[in-house]
Amino acid sequence: MRLQGLLSFPLTPFTGDDKVDLTVFAEHLERQIAAAPSALFVACGTGEFTALSADEYRDVVATTVRVADGRLPIFAGCGGGPQAAREFAQIAAECGANGLLLLPPYLVTSTPAGLVEHVRYVASATALPITVYQRANAVLDTAAAVALLDIPTVVGIKDGRGDVDAMLRLVIAVRQSGHPRAQEFGFLNGLPTAEMSVQAYEAIGVESYSSAVLCFAPDIATAFYRAVRAGEKAAVSRLLAEFYLPLVALRDRVPGYAVALVKAGARLDGLEVGPVRPPLVDLSPEHLAELKAIIARGRAALAEVAA
């Protein structure tokens, strides 16, 4: 289940009275599927996994499976402590998900070998393929990355750290390990606004990436992806300069804006996804106006490169 291409990480919409809005979520999923990603990753970071109850999580995953109806693979986020992660993994399997994205363990920092054992513990609860999300307190070294190959259902590593040198070491260690699964094992670029690093990661053999922009400006996200794959350097540079760089500058002003910006962008695109849940905070009016202007600049640049 090695994934290729652009990956969608849908939002989880909330109503005004703080319920998951499954009607809006279904519409959001259809819009994402129309953009032709390689897979949907629901109830993950952008989908506010940590803010969902087990019942809400079940509703989100089950709705995704129903709406997608086999058109593309569905990965569901799972995480927390080891038992909680196992329980979420089992719920995802019961709902018909095709795989899991295993988020870092809750608040506990261990060794890379300890992280492998955590993955093994969660994997023992389900036969679903698992992609391990490396970020925050979940950091692998080369020995740990190779050890993951011995867990049959672990199919890849998603990187959210941004250390290209360290990631290259993991890729080389796995690919040159001689393990029977070494070549089929997947590596994903999972950095916030991954478009900023896609060229660097592609150079070390990591071609698939998650795009939060796909959630609110799929025209820009898919055009950028095509330009990268076609080697259209002028188009890539133009979209980076006019859209992605200003977007990242705004994102970095407030912790949590990596999710809040995406939700605000989806609302600007006419999808009533509601607010973020605490401790995340929504955009200030000034930042919302700035986001609107950045999107307009991005679409103007897109028209220029398409001309």
Side-chain angles (χ1 to χ4, degrees):
M1 202 164 181
R2 183 174 172 182
L3 296 171
Q4 304 288 334
L6 195 60
L7 307 173
S8 167
F9 282 69
L11 299 157
T12 300
F14 299 118
T15 63
D17 58 352
D18 196 35
K19 301 289 191 292
V20 174
D21 193 328
L22 295 176
T23 300
V24 172
F25 184 57
E27 181 183 353
H28 180 41
L29 292 172
E30 287 290 3
R31 292 189 186 189
Q32 289 298 281
I33 293 169
S38 299
L40 296 176
F41 283 71
V42 295
C44 296
T46 310
E48 296 181 76
F49 167 79
T50 59
L52 300 177
S53 70
D55 286 341
E56 290 173 330
Y57 176 86
R58 184 184 298 275
D59 287 342
V60 165
V61 179
T63 299
T64 306
V65 171
R66 175 182 59 79
V67 171
D69 194 25
R71 287 179 283 177
L72 74 176
I74 307 301
F75 279 70
C78 69
Q83 279 288 6
R86 284 166 61 100
E87 290 170 7
F88 280 111
Q90 289 166 344
I91 292 171
E94 291 166 6
C95 292
N98 303 112
L100 300 165
L101 178 67
L102 180 57
L103 281 68
Y106 178 68
L107 283 180
V108 177
T109 300
S110 182
T111 64
L115 179 60
V116 171
E117 291 311 307
H118 174 73
V119 175
R120 194 186 310 276
Y121 187 82
V122 176
S124 68
T126 173
L128 287 180
I130 295 173
T131 296
V132 176
Y133 198 176
Q134 173 179 251
R135 61 176 292 181
N137 61 321
V139 180
L140 298 159
D141 60 14
T142 55
V146 173
L148 290 177
L149 294 169
D150 289 327
I151 306 174
T153 53
V154 175
V155 297
I157 296 168
K158 181 188 181 196
D159 182 55
R161 296 182 65 222
D163 187 331
V164 178
D165 177 87
M167 190 62 176
L168 173 61
R169 293 169 191 268
L170 300 190
V171 174
I172 295 299
V174 167
R175 295 284 187 249
Q176 299 300 316
S177 66
H179 195 282
R181 298 204 301 128
Q183 302 310 312
E184 69 186 39
F185 198 76
F187 294 95
L188 313 177
N189 176 357
L191 289 170
T193 322
E195 286 89 349
M196 293 292 295
S197 57
V198 64
Q199 292 167 295
Y201 272 71
E202 190 176 57
I204 64 169
V206 182
E207 296 182 350
S208 297
Y209 67 91
S210 57
S211 174
V213 173
L214 197 68
C215 287
F216 66 91
D219 51 342
I220 297 175
T222 55
F224 182 86
Y225 175 76
R226 289 193 300 269
V228 168
R229 289 291 172 264
E232 297 172 355
K233 294 182 179 180
V236 169
S237 295
R238 184 69 173 163
L239 290 170
L240 285 172
E242 294 299 320
F243 176 73
Y244 287 102
L245 279 166
L247 182 70
V248 168
L250 178 57
R251 182 201 72 196
D252 289 347
R253 289 187 203 171
V254 178
Y257 264 18
V259 177
L261 272 177
V262 182
K263 271 202 159 173
R267 291 193 297 271
L268 288 173
D269 198 40
L271 196 65
E272 293 302 322
V273 293
V276 293
R277 274 183 174 167
L280 299 178
V281 296
D282 285 302
L283 272 63
S284 67
E286 295 80 10
H287 288 166
L288 182 61
E290 190 170 341
L291 175 61
K292 187 174 182 179
I294 290 169
I295 295 171
R297 284 177 57 186
R299 292 205 162 112
L302 182 60
E304 291 175 11
V305 301

